[in-house]
Amino acid sequence: MIRFENVTKAYKAGTVAVRDVSLDIDKGEFVFLVGPSGSGKTTLIRLLLREETPDQGRIWVAGREIARLSPWRIPYLRRNIGCVFQDFRLLPNKSVFENVAFALEVIGRPRHVVESQVPQVLDLVGLGKKRDSLPGELSGGEQQRVAVARAFVNRPLLLLADEPTGNLDPATSQGIMKLLDRINRTGTTVVIATHDAGIVDQMRRRVVELHRGELVRDQERGVYGYGT
Amino acid sequence: MIRFENVTKAYKAGTVAVRDVSLDIDKGEFVFLVGPSGSGKTTLIRLLLREETPDQGRIWVAGREIARLSPWRIPYLRRNIGCVFQDFRLLPNKSVFENVAFALEVIGRPRHVVESQVPQVLDLVGLGKKRDSLPGELSGGEQQRVAVARAFVNRPLLLLADEPTGNLDPATSQGIMKLLDRINRTGTTVVIATHDAGIVDQMRRRVVELHRGELVRDQERGVYGYGT
Amino acid sequence: MAVSAQYVARETATNLWRNRLMTIAAILTVAVSLSLVGVSLLLRQGVAQATSQWQHGVNVLVFLDPTTPVPTTPTAQQHTIDQQLTQLPYVKSCTYSSQAADYAQAKRLLDPSAASVLSVATTPASWRCVLSQPSEAAAVARQFTGFPGVDGQVQYPQKAIRTMETVVHVLDAVFLVLAVILLLSAAVLILNTIRLAIFARRREVSVMKLVGATNWFIRIPFMFEGIVQGVAGAAVAVLVTIGLHAVLDHFAGHDVNSLLYDMRTPAPEVAMTVVLVAVIGVVIGAAGSAIGIRRFLDS
Amino acid sequence: MAVSAQYVARETATNLWRNRLMTIAAILTVAVSLSLVGVSLLLRQGVAQATSQWQHGVNVLVFLDPTTPVPTTPTAQQHTIDQQLTQLPYVKSCTYSSQAADYAQAKRLLDPSAASVLSVATTPASWRCVLSQPSEAAAVARQFTGFPGVDGQVQYPQKAIRTMETVVHVLDAVFLVLAVILLLSAAVLILNTIRLAIFARRREVSVMKLVGATNWFIRIPFMFEGIVQGVAGAAVAVLVTIGLHAVLDHFAGHDVNSLLYDMRTPAPEVAMTVVLVAVIGVVIGAAGSAIGIRRFLDS
Ligand SMILES: Nc1ncnc2c1ncn2[C@@H]1O[C@H](COP(=O)(O)OP(=O)(O)OP(=O)(O)O)[C@@H](O)[C@H]1O
Ligand SMILES: Nc1ncnc2c1ncn2[C@@H]1O[C@H](COP(=O)(O)OP(=O)(O)OP(=O)(O)O)[C@@H](O)[C@H]1O
Ligand SMILES: [Mg+2]
Ligand SMILES: [Mg+2]
């Protein structure tokens, strides 16, 4: 499903965010991406979305080398990827409902599908009552849940989640993780960047650890950290 | 230092975010504010900053009833309060250095004080090397640390922190909490809204719990939750 | 593409409403800019109208030699000359004025002491010819010189024509240049405003892209927003133009001597201006949005 | 307040640079708008100049009765009459033209057949008076009528004066109205642009407030930004205005007959326009920013 081959990415400012990373993730896997702040987790996710292109190395997603994708095909790549962004990236002028509905409208789902599916997903993340609020009128955790809802509303092949529980209390976090687990069981590949040691340790799934941009650990049924 | 007297705050949309909360926090205290997502923690902090005014009840900060403050005095209130916002609220057009320096310039600190103090604080949060980056060029955790640095650079009387470790790995989180603890020991009152059960349980300080806007627990040397 | 009409309509409407400030700013800019263009075009038409009015006043006066006998009651013969004259290039129509008529007019025009030295016999009869092209007066005068019985000198208001032509040309040029400058300025200002408005929403655009929206899916609602703003602004401009036209017409009233009366512009030409203004509004709105959004669409 | 000059300077400079797009948009808007105002003011001054040139050409022609004997070699006596005439209100200067001179001129002006009926004796001598106020020609003519030896009729170019005056008044009014409309439009457009630019930075303003910045602390750098944009825009407008003036002057050349020559505007008046444009730029920049930011400062 995903293959990184000696991928290196440096930002203009000179920071090497990802250094010579090679990684294979199969279809249907559930992977935690861990590492200290600034270790390159978000950058890895941005590379998968082709929000950035690698300086060196190659990346395949669903059998395609995405650096070679022509610009007009990028949207179609992204439609197969649901993403929970670390900073949410909600559309500030759209209501909760519209934000989630947008991911369906983009792929041309008819109105009645949108009308039935969105409220269902919002209920799943516990925001049924907030459907007409604007993002600015939500608490941090509520915004994060909207982002989660938007990411999987269109049943993507690949679900990327960058710190999806950073603003959530442990109970809600567990709810979200159960949800992601359930989605994973339907065949969706799930990659989660997280700092939440409790959840990683509890779920016992594959753990990939980055440190200063380098892949330092890749462990089946892993835990958050060795010592911490 | 802080006194809430039967404070109620409802937003336009009809959500009662804070309901009849009474609370006293003495000078020099260290308080954790906990509660599920959407329980009103951020709203409480916004009330203290007079970003919002209560619908009912009264709030005193440092001996002043802040709802009665005339508009031109509000900036002077805020200069005594350092705040780490949940969504960071960095100035997007200013570098890391300038963002932190701004809090000092606002209170008229001369240039040489700014020049010496800001790098010191940036080193404390581990961002010495990122001083010239813009917020958009930082990882989530780095932005959060800039927000922390800005909040205490001018040694405020009161330090409010809304989810200051949501985007940080456990090691960095502990570093930040140690920092806040140290600041607290110099006499600064510290109020932290957080979901990080690990930290709350480890620090064993006063815990105030909100649930649907109501104060449901106020416990000396408390833990994050009873059951969770 | 596959952008549904319903989606576009809803998107356009809600975005216009939720970005009120920017909507109003853009409409205002279009309205002000295009109003200036419209007014300037209108004034230019007015000048053109006035010119064509004034041109009716340019005559070439052909004096016949009083010593050559001419019939005092010119009928068929006069008609022939008339035809011959009229066939010359640039000559529109000619009227004959007999010696007696010319004498009468001279007496009226000159002060008595000067008139007293004239007599019917010494006053030359004349043809007064209206030209289709006043600037050709000199050429026409030359042509007449060969005609039988025509006095050596052919009079035409040389200095007056030159001055009037200069004024008209300058005014026409001024208003044309003004209209073009205003149009360019309007384009610049409107594009500017749209760019700023889209700049304020660049984050929104980037989020849409990350969720998998195609460029057209993002662009079309923006373009429709631009069109609506352009149309609304142009509508205001059209009203201002029509309003000004009405006001000028009103003040022109029926005072034949007033300059405004000369400047009255017929409705069809005003309509042309109005249509032009409206089209500019739509095009600039749509193109402006499309161009303005382009750099935020490049990934 | 306590806003240090250093802070303001640094803040202004970096903000202008980091918000390039908005800076350029604002400068462009100011430049385009004020250029239009400047050009319009310049044209208006040109018209005023041309008017004053044309006014030198308005003479009142006083014919002396040829039957009343007048000295053929007028010396002291003529001087006295000259003085008397000049003392009349609105009369600027008068020149005498003898019977012989008038006859010579008439011969030149009229066609031979008409001229042949004139003689020196029947041609009246005349005074040709330049008026300071051409519109008063009729009144002056009435005053002359009482003078010794003055022929009953005093000639002045009645129709010509009326037409010229109308044209001048209309042109003057058109350019004044245009300048005022353009000025108002410029104000609206510039305010609009500044508001949009500040709107795009409203979050920044709100963060500054939350960190404890006073309103003036936030407002002053914004105002200076506005001033810099206003000055830069106005500078462009000033260059355009001066440039146009230079171009017009160049084309005017030394062709005394051209309208452009008549419109040449003296440097001090151009300087006035330029100063006016610059001041408007600064004021609108500063005030615009201050007003634009106001609603985001209300807490
Ligand atoms: N747009 C950018 N321009 C320049 N440098 C950047 C940019 N984005 C990220 N970086 C740098 O690249 C490094 C890796 O960033 P990244 O966001 O991938 O970290 P992360 O693992 O997601 O961290 P966190 O857990 O704090 O979110 C950091 O040092 C960061 O400062
Ligand atoms: N500006 C607003 N307008 C309307 N409702 C709001 C606004 N801000 C917050 N709310 C609502 O008020 C409630 C409390 O919000 P608040 O941000 O205080 O929660 P919180 O405890 O900080 O939650 P979290 O842990 O998720 O950040 C929520 O239900 C939220 O939707
Ligand atoms: Mg990250
Ligand atoms: Mg919160």
Short mmCIF file of all heavy atoms in Angstrom, two decimals, chain C residues 21-22 25 28-29 32 36 111-113 151 153 166 170-171 178 181-182 185 188-189 192 195-196 199 259, chain D residues 21-22 25 28-29 32 36 111-113 151 153 170-171 174 178 181-182 185 188-189 192 195-196 199 257 259:
data_model
loop_
_atom_site.label_atom_id
_atom_site.label_comp_id
_atom_site.label_asym_id
_atom_site.label_seq_id
_atom_site.Cartn_x
_atom_site.Cartn_y
_atom_site.Cartn_z
N LEU C 21 -17.84 41.24 4.02
CA LEU C 21 -16.95 42.40 3.92
C LEU C 21 -16.24 42.41 2.56
O LEU C 21 -16.22 43.43 1.87
CB LEU C 21 -15.91 42.38 5.05
CG LEU C 21 -14.89 43.52 4.97
CD1 LEU C 21 -15.56 44.87 5.15
CD2 LEU C 21 -13.79 43.34 6.00
N MET C 22 -15.72 41.25 2.19
CA MET C 22 -14.99 41.19 0.93
C MET C 22 -15.94 41.34 -0.24
O MET C 22 -15.60 41.99 -1.23
CB MET C 22 -14.22 39.87 0.85
CG MET C 22 -13.14 39.81 1.91
SD MET C 22 -11.98 38.50 1.64
CE MET C 22 -12.87 37.12 2.29
N ALA C 25 -16.69 44.97 -0.52
CA ALA C 25 -15.52 45.69 -1.02
C ALA C 25 -15.37 45.51 -2.52
O ALA C 25 -15.16 46.47 -3.25
CB ALA C 25 -14.27 45.20 -0.29
N LEU C 28 -18.16 47.29 -4.42
CA LEU C 28 -17.93 48.73 -4.37
C LEU C 28 -16.86 49.14 -5.38
O LEU C 28 -17.02 50.12 -6.12
CB LEU C 28 -17.47 49.10 -2.96
CG LEU C 28 -17.91 50.44 -2.44
CD1 LEU C 28 -19.42 50.52 -2.39
CD2 LEU C 28 -17.34 50.65 -1.04
N THR C 29 -15.79 48.36 -5.41
CA THR C 29 -14.70 48.69 -6.32
C THR C 29 -15.18 48.62 -7.76
O THR C 29 -14.92 49.53 -8.56
CB THR C 29 -13.52 47.71 -6.11
OG1 THR C 29 -13.15 47.75 -4.74
CG2 THR C 29 -12.34 48.10 -6.95
N VAL C 32 -17.64 51.62 -8.42
CA VAL C 32 -16.98 52.92 -8.57
C VAL C 32 -16.19 52.98 -9.87
O VAL C 32 -16.34 53.91 -10.67
CB VAL C 32 -16.04 53.19 -7.36
CG1 VAL C 32 -15.16 54.40 -7.63
CG2 VAL C 32 -16.85 53.39 -6.11
N LEU C 36 -17.17 55.28 -13.33
CA LEU C 36 -16.29 56.28 -13.95
C LEU C 36 -16.14 55.98 -15.44
O LEU C 36 -16.22 56.89 -16.26
CB LEU C 36 -14.92 56.26 -13.26
CG LEU C 36 -14.92 56.76 -11.81
CD1 LEU C 36 -13.54 56.61 -11.20
CD2 LEU C 36 -15.37 58.20 -11.74
N ASP C 111 -23.31 97.90 -39.47
CA ASP C 111 -23.89 99.09 -38.86
C ASP C 111 -24.28 100.05 -39.96
O ASP C 111 -23.72 100.02 -41.07
CB ASP C 111 -22.91 99.72 -37.87
CG ASP C 111 -21.60 100.07 -38.48
OD1 ASP C 111 -20.97 99.15 -39.10
OD2 ASP C 111 -21.17 101.23 -38.36
N PRO C 112 -25.25 100.88 -39.69
CA PRO C 112 -25.85 101.70 -40.75
C PRO C 112 -24.83 102.43 -41.61
O PRO C 112 -24.92 102.42 -42.85
CB PRO C 112 -26.71 102.71 -39.96
CG PRO C 112 -26.99 102.03 -38.66
CD PRO C 112 -25.82 101.13 -38.38
N SER C 113 -23.82 103.04 -40.96
CA SER C 113 -22.86 103.83 -41.74
C SER C 113 -22.17 102.98 -42.80
O SER C 113 -21.94 103.42 -43.92
CB SER C 113 -21.81 104.45 -40.81
OG SER C 113 -21.15 103.42 -40.10
N ASP C 151 -17.50 84.40 -58.06
CA ASP C 151 -16.55 85.45 -57.72
C ASP C 151 -15.24 84.79 -57.30
O ASP C 151 -15.23 83.66 -56.79
CB ASP C 151 -17.13 86.25 -56.56
CG ASP C 151 -16.35 87.54 -56.37
OD1 ASP C 151 -15.24 87.64 -56.94
OD2 ASP C 151 -16.85 88.40 -55.63
N GLN C 153 -13.39 85.00 -54.83
CA GLN C 153 -13.21 84.54 -53.47
C GLN C 153 -14.38 83.71 -52.94
O GLN C 153 -15.53 84.08 -53.09
CB GLN C 153 -13.00 85.74 -52.54
CG GLN C 153 -11.69 85.62 -51.83
CD GLN C 153 -11.18 86.97 -51.40
OE1 GLN C 153 -11.54 88.00 -51.96
NE2 GLN C 153 -10.36 86.97 -50.38
N THR C 166 -10.25 71.83 -33.30
CA THR C 166 -9.27 71.55 -32.26
C THR C 166 -9.99 71.18 -30.98
O THR C 166 -9.70 70.17 -30.34
CB THR C 166 -8.38 72.77 -32.02
OG1 THR C 166 -7.97 73.28 -33.28
CG2 THR C 166 -7.18 72.39 -31.18
N VAL C 170 -9.77 67.65 -29.25
CA VAL C 170 -9.17 67.56 -27.93
C VAL C 170 -10.16 66.93 -26.95
O VAL C 170 -9.83 65.99 -26.23
CB VAL C 170 -8.71 68.94 -27.43
CG1 VAL C 170 -8.38 68.87 -25.95
CG2 VAL C 170 -7.51 69.40 -28.22
N LEU C 171 -11.39 67.42 -26.96
CA LEU C 171 -12.39 66.89 -26.03
C LEU C 171 -12.60 65.39 -26.28
O LEU C 171 -12.62 64.59 -25.36
CB LEU C 171 -13.72 67.61 -26.22
CG LEU C 171 -13.87 68.89 -25.42
CD1 LEU C 171 -15.29 69.40 -25.57
CD2 LEU C 171 -13.56 68.64 -23.97
N LEU C 178 -9.49 59.21 -21.35
CA LEU C 178 -10.01 59.08 -19.99
C LEU C 178 -10.72 57.74 -19.82
O LEU C 178 -10.50 57.02 -18.85
CB LEU C 178 -10.98 60.21 -19.73
CG LEU C 178 -11.02 60.72 -18.30
CD1 LEU C 178 -9.71 61.37 -17.93
CD2 LEU C 178 -12.15 61.72 -18.14
N ILE C 181 -8.13 54.97 -19.88
CA ILE C 181 -7.37 54.96 -18.63
C ILE C 181 -8.23 54.45 -17.49
O ILE C 181 -7.81 53.61 -16.69
CB ILE C 181 -6.85 56.38 -18.29
CG1 ILE C 181 -5.77 56.80 -19.29
CG2 ILE C 181 -6.30 56.43 -16.87
CD1 ILE C 181 -5.25 58.20 -19.04
N LEU C 182 -9.46 54.95 -17.45
CA LEU C 182 -10.35 54.52 -16.37
C LEU C 182 -10.63 53.04 -16.47
O LEU C 182 -10.69 52.34 -15.46
CB LEU C 182 -11.65 55.31 -16.43
CG LEU C 182 -11.55 56.75 -15.96
CD1 LEU C 182 -12.84 57.48 -16.19
CD2 LEU C 182 -11.18 56.79 -14.49
N SER C 185 -7.62 51.31 -15.26
CA SER C 185 -7.55 51.48 -13.81
C SER C 185 -8.58 50.58 -13.14
O SER C 185 -8.29 49.92 -12.14
CB SER C 185 -7.84 52.92 -13.42
OG SER C 185 -7.08 53.79 -14.19
N VAL C 188 -7.38 47.09 -13.11
CA VAL C 188 -6.33 46.91 -12.10
C VAL C 188 -6.94 46.88 -10.70
O VAL C 188 -6.66 45.98 -9.90
CB VAL C 188 -5.30 48.04 -12.20
CG1 VAL C 188 -4.39 48.04 -10.98
CG2 VAL C 188 -4.47 47.88 -13.46
N LEU C 189 -7.81 47.84 -10.43
CA LEU C 189 -8.38 47.94 -9.08
C LEU C 189 -9.24 46.72 -8.76
O LEU C 189 -9.17 46.17 -7.66
CB LEU C 189 -9.22 49.21 -8.96
CG LEU C 189 -8.43 50.51 -9.06
CD1 LEU C 189 -9.36 51.71 -9.04
CD2 LEU C 189 -7.43 50.60 -7.93
N ASN C 192 -7.11 43.68 -8.29
CA ASN C 192 -6.50 43.89 -6.99
C ASN C 192 -7.40 43.44 -5.86
O ASN C 192 -6.99 42.70 -4.96
CB ASN C 192 -6.29 45.40 -6.85
CG ASN C 192 -4.90 45.68 -6.37
OD1 ASN C 192 -4.24 44.80 -5.85
ND2 ASN C 192 -4.48 46.89 -6.54
N ARG C 195 -7.97 39.73 -5.87
CA ARG C 195 -6.77 39.05 -5.40
C ARG C 195 -6.66 39.13 -3.89
O ARG C 195 -6.36 38.14 -3.22
CB ARG C 195 -5.53 39.69 -6.01
CG ARG C 195 -4.94 38.91 -7.15
CD ARG C 195 -3.96 39.75 -7.90
NE ARG C 195 -2.85 40.13 -7.04
CZ ARG C 195 -1.59 39.75 -7.26
NH1 ARG C 195 -1.30 39.00 -8.28
NH2 ARG C 195 -0.61 40.14 -6.47
N LEU C 196 -6.91 40.31 -3.36
CA LEU C 196 -6.83 40.48 -1.90
C LEU C 196 -7.85 39.58 -1.22
O LEU C 196 -7.56 38.93 -0.22
CB LEU C 196 -7.13 41.93 -1.52
CG LEU C 196 -5.94 42.85 -1.35
CD1 LEU C 196 -6.39 44.17 -0.76
CD2 LEU C 196 -4.91 42.21 -0.45
N PHE C 199 -6.71 36.16 -1.45
CA PHE C 199 -5.54 36.02 -0.57
C PHE C 199 -6.01 35.75 0.86
O PHE C 199 -5.45 34.90 1.55
CB PHE C 199 -4.70 37.30 -0.62
CG PHE C 199 -3.49 37.25 0.26
CD1 PHE C 199 -2.39 36.49 -0.09
CD2 PHE C 199 -3.46 37.97 1.44
CE1 PHE C 199 -1.28 36.44 0.72
CE2 PHE C 199 -2.34 37.92 2.26
CZ PHE C 199 -1.25 37.16 1.90
N LEU C 259 -25.25 74.01 -24.40
CA LEU C 259 -24.31 72.99 -24.84
C LEU C 259 -24.87 71.59 -24.54
O LEU C 259 -24.74 70.65 -25.30
CB LEU C 259 -22.99 73.18 -24.10
CG LEU C 259 -21.86 72.25 -24.54
CD1 LEU C 259 -21.48 72.50 -25.97
CD2 LEU C 259 -20.67 72.41 -23.63
N LEU D 21 1.99 41.35 -0.90
CA LEU D 21 0.84 41.37 -1.80
C LEU D 21 -0.10 42.50 -1.44
O LEU D 21 -0.53 43.28 -2.29
CB LEU D 21 0.11 40.04 -1.77
CG LEU D 21 -1.17 40.00 -2.62
CD1 LEU D 21 -0.84 40.15 -4.09
CD2 LEU D 21 -1.95 38.73 -2.39
N MET D 22 -0.39 42.59 -0.15
CA MET D 22 -1.33 43.63 0.28
C MET D 22 -0.71 45.01 0.15
O MET D 22 -1.37 45.97 -0.24
CB MET D 22 -1.75 43.36 1.72
CG MET D 22 -2.53 42.08 1.83
SD MET D 22 -3.37 41.90 3.39
CE MET D 22 -2.04 41.35 4.42
N ALA D 25 -0.92 45.88 -3.46
CA ALA D 25 -2.31 46.17 -3.82
C ALA D 25 -2.69 47.57 -3.35
O ALA D 25 -3.28 48.35 -4.10
CB ALA D 25 -3.23 45.13 -3.20
N LEU D 28 -0.86 50.28 -5.32
CA LEU D 28 -1.42 50.36 -6.66
C LEU D 28 -2.74 51.13 -6.66
O LEU D 28 -2.98 51.99 -7.51
CB LEU D 28 -1.65 48.94 -7.17
CG LEU D 28 -1.46 48.67 -8.64
CD1 LEU D 28 -0.04 49.01 -9.04
CD2 LEU D 28 -1.74 47.22 -8.94
N THR D 29 -3.57 50.79 -5.69
CA THR D 29 -4.87 51.47 -5.62
C THR D 29 -4.69 52.96 -5.41
O THR D 29 -5.31 53.78 -6.09
CB THR D 29 -5.70 50.87 -4.48
OG1 THR D 29 -5.77 49.46 -4.65
CG2 THR D 29 -7.09 51.45 -4.47
N VAL D 32 -3.19 54.53 -8.71
CA VAL D 32 -4.16 54.67 -9.80
C VAL D 32 -5.18 55.76 -9.46
O VAL D 32 -5.41 56.68 -10.25
CB VAL D 32 -4.88 53.33 -10.06
CG1 VAL D 32 -6.05 53.53 -11.00
CG2 VAL D 32 -3.91 52.32 -10.63
N LEU D 36 -5.48 59.60 -11.28
CA LEU D 36 -6.68 60.11 -11.96
C LEU D 36 -7.04 61.48 -11.40
O LEU D 36 -7.34 62.41 -12.14
CB LEU D 36 -7.84 59.13 -11.78
CG LEU D 36 -7.66 57.79 -12.50
CD1 LEU D 36 -8.82 56.86 -12.19
CD2 LEU D 36 -7.55 58.00 -13.99
N ASP D 111 -13.92 90.89 -49.64
CA ASP D 111 -13.52 90.53 -50.99
C ASP D 111 -13.56 91.78 -51.86
O ASP D 111 -14.30 92.73 -51.57
CB ASP D 111 -14.41 89.41 -51.54
CG ASP D 111 -15.87 89.76 -51.57
OD1 ASP D 111 -16.37 90.12 -50.45
OD2 ASP D 111 -16.51 89.66 -52.62
N PRO D 112 -12.75 91.79 -52.90
CA PRO D 112 -12.54 93.02 -53.70
C PRO D 112 -13.84 93.74 -54.08
O PRO D 112 -13.95 94.95 -53.93
CB PRO D 112 -11.81 92.52 -54.94
CG PRO D 112 -11.14 91.26 -54.49
CD PRO D 112 -11.99 90.67 -53.41
N SER D 113 -14.83 92.93 -54.49
CA SER D 113 -16.06 93.56 -54.97
C SER D 113 -16.71 94.37 -53.87
O SER D 113 -17.21 95.47 -54.09
CB SER D 113 -17.04 92.50 -55.49
OG SER D 113 -17.31 91.59 -54.44
N ASP D 151 -19.75 106.50 -32.69
CA ASP D 151 -20.84 106.07 -33.56
C ASP D 151 -21.86 105.32 -32.70
O ASP D 151 -21.52 104.71 -31.68
CB ASP D 151 -20.26 105.14 -34.63
CG ASP D 151 -21.27 104.88 -35.74
OD1 ASP D 151 -22.47 105.20 -35.51
OD2 ASP D 151 -20.85 104.37 -36.78
N GLN D 153 -23.25 102.55 -32.83
CA GLN D 153 -23.11 101.14 -32.54
C GLN D 153 -21.69 100.77 -32.09
O GLN D 153 -20.71 101.18 -32.68
CB GLN D 153 -23.45 100.31 -33.78
CG GLN D 153 -24.59 99.37 -33.50
CD GLN D 153 -25.25 98.95 -34.78
OE1 GLN D 153 -25.24 99.69 -35.76
NE2 GLN D 153 -25.82 97.77 -34.77
N VAL D 170 -18.40 74.84 -19.06
CA VAL D 170 -18.71 73.41 -19.04
C VAL D 170 -17.45 72.60 -18.78
O VAL D 170 -17.41 71.72 -17.93
CB VAL D 170 -19.37 72.99 -20.37
CG1 VAL D 170 -19.40 71.47 -20.49
CG2 VAL D 170 -20.77 73.56 -20.44
N LEU D 171 -16.39 72.94 -19.52
CA LEU D 171 -15.14 72.20 -19.34
C LEU D 171 -14.65 72.31 -17.90
O LEU D 171 -14.27 71.33 -17.28
CB LEU D 171 -14.06 72.77 -20.27
CG LEU D 171 -14.04 72.19 -21.67
CD1 LEU D 171 -12.83 72.71 -22.42
CD2 LEU D 171 -14.01 70.68 -21.60
N VAL D 174 -16.85 70.29 -15.78
CA VAL D 174 -16.64 68.86 -16.00
C VAL D 174 -15.40 68.40 -15.26
O VAL D 174 -15.42 67.41 -14.53
CB VAL D 174 -16.52 68.54 -17.51
CG1 VAL D 174 -15.89 67.17 -17.72
CG2 VAL D 174 -17.88 68.61 -18.16
N LEU D 178 -15.27 66.05 -12.17
CA LEU D 178 -14.50 64.83 -12.37
C LEU D 178 -13.47 64.68 -11.25
O LEU D 178 -13.32 63.60 -10.67
CB LEU D 178 -13.79 64.92 -13.72
CG LEU D 178 -13.57 63.60 -14.44
CD1 LEU D 178 -14.89 63.01 -14.85
CD2 LEU D 178 -12.69 63.82 -15.66
N ILE D 181 -15.33 63.78 -8.04
CA ILE D 181 -15.80 62.38 -8.09
C ILE D 181 -14.63 61.42 -7.96
O ILE D 181 -14.66 60.47 -7.19
CB ILE D 181 -16.54 62.11 -9.42
CG1 ILE D 181 -17.87 62.87 -9.45
CG2 ILE D 181 -16.81 60.61 -9.59
CD1 ILE D 181 -18.64 62.68 -10.73
N LEU D 182 -13.57 61.72 -8.71
CA LEU D 182 -12.40 60.83 -8.66
C LEU D 182 -11.81 60.81 -7.26
O LEU D 182 -11.39 59.78 -6.77
CB LEU D 182 -11.36 61.28 -9.67
CG LEU D 182 -11.69 60.97 -11.12
CD1 LEU D 182 -10.67 61.60 -12.05
CD2 LEU D 182 -11.76 59.48 -11.33
N SER D 185 -14.04 58.72 -5.19
CA SER D 185 -13.85 57.33 -5.58
C SER D 185 -12.53 56.83 -5.03
O SER D 185 -12.44 55.73 -4.48
CB SER D 185 -13.85 57.19 -7.09
OG SER D 185 -14.95 57.83 -7.64
N VAL D 188 -12.86 56.07 -1.44
CA VAL D 188 -13.60 54.83 -1.21
C VAL D 188 -12.72 53.61 -1.53
O VAL D 188 -12.61 52.67 -0.75
CB VAL D 188 -14.88 54.79 -2.08
CG1 VAL D 188 -15.47 53.40 -2.10
CG2 VAL D 188 -15.88 55.80 -1.56
N LEU D 189 -12.08 53.67 -2.70
CA LEU D 189 -11.28 52.51 -3.13
C LEU D 189 -10.11 52.27 -2.20
O LEU D 189 -9.81 51.13 -1.84
CB LEU D 189 -10.76 52.75 -4.55
CG LEU D 189 -11.84 52.81 -5.63
CD1 LEU D 189 -11.24 53.15 -6.97
CD2 LEU D 189 -12.58 51.49 -5.69
N ASN D 192 -11.29 50.93 1.08
CA ASN D 192 -11.66 49.55 0.80
C ASN D 192 -10.46 48.63 0.85
O ASN D 192 -10.48 47.58 1.49
CB ASN D 192 -12.21 49.52 -0.63
CG ASN D 192 -13.48 48.78 -0.70
OD1 ASN D 192 -13.78 48.02 0.21
ND2 ASN D 192 -14.22 48.98 -1.73
N ARG D 195 -9.04 48.33 4.30
CA ARG D 195 -9.91 47.50 5.13
C ARG D 195 -9.73 46.01 4.84
O ARG D 195 -9.63 45.19 5.75
CB ARG D 195 -11.37 47.87 4.87
CG ARG D 195 -11.97 48.73 5.96
CD ARG D 195 -13.27 49.31 5.49
NE ARG D 195 -14.24 48.27 5.20
CZ ARG D 195 -15.40 48.13 5.83
NH1 ARG D 195 -15.72 48.95 6.79
NH2 ARG D 195 -16.22 47.18 5.50
N LEU D 196 -9.66 45.71 3.54
CA LEU D 196 -9.47 44.31 3.15
C LEU D 196 -8.15 43.79 3.69
O LEU D 196 -8.06 42.68 4.20
CB LEU D 196 -9.47 44.19 1.63
CG LEU D 196 -10.77 43.84 0.96
CD1 LEU D 196 -10.53 43.53 -0.50
CD2 LEU D 196 -11.41 42.64 1.64
N PHE D 199 -8.43 43.30 7.23
CA PHE D 199 -9.32 42.16 7.47
C PHE D 199 -8.53 40.87 7.39
O PHE D 199 -8.70 39.97 8.21
CB PHE D 199 -10.45 42.17 6.44
CG PHE D 199 -11.40 41.03 6.58
CD1 PHE D 199 -12.33 41.01 7.60
CD2 PHE D 199 -11.37 39.96 5.69
CE1 PHE D 199 -13.21 39.96 7.73
CE2 PHE D 199 -12.25 38.91 5.81
CZ PHE D 199 -13.17 38.91 6.84
N ASN D 257 -0.63 78.65 -31.93
CA ASN D 257 -2.04 78.47 -32.30
C ASN D 257 -2.67 77.24 -31.65
O ASN D 257 -3.88 77.09 -31.66
CB ASN D 257 -2.16 78.33 -33.82
CG ASN D 257 -2.05 79.68 -34.48
OD1 ASN D 257 -2.58 80.66 -33.95
ND2 ASN D 257 -1.35 79.74 -35.59
N LEU D 259 -4.13 74.46 -29.09
CA LEU D 259 -4.88 74.55 -27.85
C LEU D 259 -3.98 74.20 -26.67
O LEU D 259 -4.03 74.80 -25.61
CB LEU D 259 -6.04 73.56 -27.91
CG LEU D 259 -7.01 73.61 -26.74
CD1 LEU D 259 -7.70 74.95 -26.68
CD2 LEU D 259 -8.01 72.49 -26.86
#
